[in-house]
Amino acid sequence: MKTLIKNPWIVTMNVGYDIIRGGYVLIEGDTIREVGGGAQRMEELEREAETVLEAGDKILLPGLVNAHSHMFQTFMRGLADDKHLYQWLSEEIWPFSALMSEEDFYYAGLIASLENLKTGATGVIDQHYIYTSLNNGDKIFQAMADAGIRGSMCRCFANIVYTERFREKDEVILEDIRRLHDAWHGKDGRLQLSMGPINSWSVSPELFRATKELARKLGLKYQVHTSEDEDVVEKTAKMYEGMRNVELFDSLGLLDEDTQLVHSVWLNDSELETVRTRGAQVIHCPVANMYLASGVARVPEMRKMGIPVALATDGPGSNNAQDMLGTLKYTACLHKVHNLDPQILYPRDVLEMATHGGALALGMEDQLGVVEAGRKADLILVDWKKPHIAPVHKPDSALVYNANGNDVNTVFVNGEMVVQNGRSTRVDETALVDECQKRIEFIKSKM
């Protein structure tokens, strides 16, 4: 099956940062077969293709990757505004999620997957840590499969200190990781398992080491919340003889190129150098860090040091949305005003974190993140002929500073069109929203 997308404004994100006006992209199966410009070649390909999309009013770019979310929190968006991190967790998030059924997790995962797709994220890493039932992780995986997103379910865990209801025994955690790997990893060519502790203070040193060893054995990415706010830093220091988060992780042998440090807001110079030396990646969640007043991560410095950075929304409970296209503007503007420097991040820099950085977070840096022949056909088309975007001088600027998730028109994942004209091709959106609303009202009635 060949699909030709003709005449879009293509932001390739390739090494030369080529931008093609009125170009074309040919998709065959799950792969981009050809990218270029020129009317004659476009006409030739049009005769070969089974499907032809006219996209003269669209900007085409690689699908963005939301490198860290908690998709079950779609059922909690707006539940707990205006609180600090621990108060937000203990008073609202933990009590509500403890009342969710297995099917609730499925529906939360389904609407979250759909939201990611419809706002520009073809891929998502969902760090799931609520295991009132061991089937909860499977429900998230099934939701990803049904929505058509490229998904990594990060099997998260805690075994000490954390709220008692969500602590698990070491052997249960390790066995469930193996089970999920065998059941889901690699399924449909889109799904993968990753793993990671919830944070620095709720996992024992023994479990840190055992799970990292298992991650290395299975070839899985390892993701952990890191220095999200000052309280996390202080709590860790009290438990581990003054050690800061990155110091602790390094002492336990956790840091390598497959380790992802989410937030990393309160890292000092020494910690940044350790992250650089070990090759770990930082996942930046600017909106959640603003929403919870956690602080501002030193992202421009990280990038100058060569530390790879990906972008993410964090969970809808600490963002209220998973709009990755909208996150681009927040990222640029946050660091400009924080550093009083309008040139500290350019549109290209922000797009690189959302595409190249996201591809690296998924372990698919050679397959995603660039519009070029041989890459997987994970692509989005953004409608630029709207009053809040047009007229357009530079499409990359328009994407970062003008567009938001509502402007995403068409989405391909693995070559399949999963969003067409702004609507899911797989899911009845109206029925899904109604079902989710009924479910959150029922849960709230039990609190």
Side-chain angles (χ1 to χ4, degrees):
M1 174 83 175
K2 292 182 179 180
T3 299
L4 177 68
I5 306 171
K6 54 183 290 190
N7 297 317
W9 217 333
I10 306 173
V11 179
T12 64
M13 298 306 301
N14 64 11
V15 173
Y17 199 59
D18 293 324
I19 295 176
I20 306 170
R21 181 74 184 269
Y24 64 83
V25 174
L26 180 68
I27 299 170
E28 184 174 9
D30 65 356
T31 304
I32 300 170
R33 288 301 177 201
E34 190 172 331
V35 179
Q40 182 176 343
R41 181 56 179 157
M42 202 182 307
E43 289 176 7
E44 293 172 359
L45 293 174
E46 192 168 354
R47 290 191 289 269
E48 297 178 17
E50 288 86 352
T51 302
V52 177
L53 296 182
E54 172 55 54
D57 56 353
K58 307 293 190 301
I59 300 170
L60 183 149
L61 68 156
L64 311 181
V65 175
N66 186 354
H68 176 76
S69 188
H70 306 290
M71 298 202 301
F72 75 93
Q73 290 178 9
T74 50
F75 274 29
M76 298 161 214
R77 55 170 114 236
L79 178 68
D81 297 328
D82 311 318
K83 297 177 186 288
H84 288 288
L85 177 62
Y86 190 78
Q87 180 188 20
W88 170 79
L89 281 168
S90 60
E91 294 180 4
E92 302 287 355
I93 301 304
W94 291 339
F96 190 98
S97 56
L99 296 172
M100 290 176 67
S101 69
E102 292 178 7
E103 288 304 305
D104 288 330
F105 286 105
Y106 169 77
Y107 282 103
L110 186 60
I111 198 169
S113 295
L114 193 58
E115 178 189 7
N116 273 284
L117 288 168
K118 285 166 62 73
T119 57
T122 54
V124 63
I125 300 175
D126 180 53
Q127 196 185 57
H128 188 74
Y129 57 88
I130 306 296
Y131 288 92
T132 46
S133 164
L134 288 179
N135 293 327
N136 292 349
D138 299 88
K139 294 298 183 180
I140 296 294
F141 263 128
Q142 190 61 57
M144 290 174 168
D146 292 347
I149 200 166
R150 187 178 298 282
S152 174
M153 206 283 286
C154 181
R155 207 303 185 180
C156 197
F157 47 84
N159 69 336
I160 60 171
V161 182
Y162 207 63
T163 184
E164 187 174 358
R165 182 71 189 272
F166 301 140
R167 290 182 222 158
E168 299 177 89
K169 295 184 182 300
D170 293 17
E171 58 271 22
V172 171
I173 294 165
L174 293 165
E175 180 54 36
D176 197 47
I177 290 168
R178 296 186 188 97
R179 182 189 67 81
L180 287 167
H181 176 269
D182 293 345
W184 293 99
H185 192 65
K187 190 171 182 178
D188 296 338
R190 293 186 289 102
L191 303 179
Q192 59 176 269
L193 180 69
S194 51
M195 58 189 283
I198 186 70
N199 55 41
S200 57
W201 50 267
S202 62
V203 175
S204 67
E206 294 77 17
L207 186 59
F208 272 125
R209 293 190 184 97
T211 52
K212 185 58 181 178
E213 181 181 349
L214 181 58
R216 289 188 173 118
K217 180 179 178 180
L218 297 177
L220 303 181
K221 295 289 185 179
Y222 194 84
Q223 185 176 104
V224 54
H225 292 96
T226 304
S227 300
E228 183 172 357
D229 67 5
E230 289 182 293
D231 181 60
V232 171
V233 176
E234 293 169 3
K235 191 174 293 189
T236 306
K238 287 179 182 178
M239 290 178 65
Y240 293 103
E241 300 179 342
M243 281 190 178
R244 297 173 67 86
N245 280 204
V246 169
E247 292 173 328
L248 172 64
F249 297 154
D250 195 40
S251 74
L252 295 170
L254 304 183
L255 300 182
D256 58 30
E257 65 279 0
D258 289 321
T259 301
Q260 299 165 357
L261 306 176
V262 182
H263 299 299
S264 297
V265 174
W266 293 92
L267 301 190
N268 64 20
D269 291 348
S270 176
E271 288 179 290
L272 285 181
E273 180 58 26
T274 300
V275 174
R276 185 195 68 80
T277 301
R278 302 291 185 243
Q281 184 176 22
V282 167
I283 311 297
H284 181 38
C285 306
V287 178
N289 296 157
M290 288 187 279
Y291 180 88
L292 294 171
S294 299
V296 183
R298 297 163 63 182
V299 167
E301 294 175 67
M302 295 174 188
R303 286 172 51 81
K304 285 181 181 178
M305 293 175 67
I307 296 171
V309 180
L311 289 185
T313 62
D314 207 351
S318 60
N319 182 319
N320 291 30
Q322 294 175 102
D323 184 346
M324 272 300 292
L325 199 57
T327 297
L328 304 180
K329 183 173 184 175
Y330 282 111
T331 303
C333 290
L334 172 63
H335 293 287
K336 289 174 189 290
V337 71
H338 181 69
N339 292 278
L340 301 179
D341 182 355
Q343 296 181 320
I344 201 158
L345 286 178
Y346 292 100
R348 176 177 182 170
D349 301 322
V350 179
L351 287 167
E352 283 178 348
M353 288 187 275
T355 56
H356 299 174
L360 180 65
L362 287 172
M364 301 184 71
E365 59 270 30
D366 296 327
Q367 301 177 67
L368 301 174
V370 180
V371 184
E372 68 180 10
R375 300 267 178 162
K376 293 291 185 183
D378 286 19
L379 304 168
I380 63 173
L381 290 162
V382 178
D383 185 354
W384 64 266
K385 287 195 174 180
K386 293 185 174 183
H388 66 284
I389 300 178
V392 172
H393 292 282
K394 297 176 290 185
D396 54 348
S397 175
L399 289 168
V400 173
Y401 293 118
N402 298 61
N404 61 67
N406 293 313
D407 301 313
V408 176
N409 177 273
T410 305
V411 178
F412 288 88
V413 177
N414 228 30
E416 178 188 349
M417 189 189 300
V418 294
V419 174
Q420 182 177 25
N421 296 323
R423 303 289 289 182
S424 173
T425 62
R426 285 173 161 238
V427 178
D428 183 335
E429 296 182 26
T430 302
L432 175 61
V433 169
D434 288 345
E435 180 66 27
C436 291
Q437 187 66 32
K438 290 176 185 176
R439 287 176 175 271
I440 65 111
E441 290 174 0
F442 178 71
I443 296 167
K444 189 70 174 176
S445 74
K446 296 191 293 181
M447 294 183 70

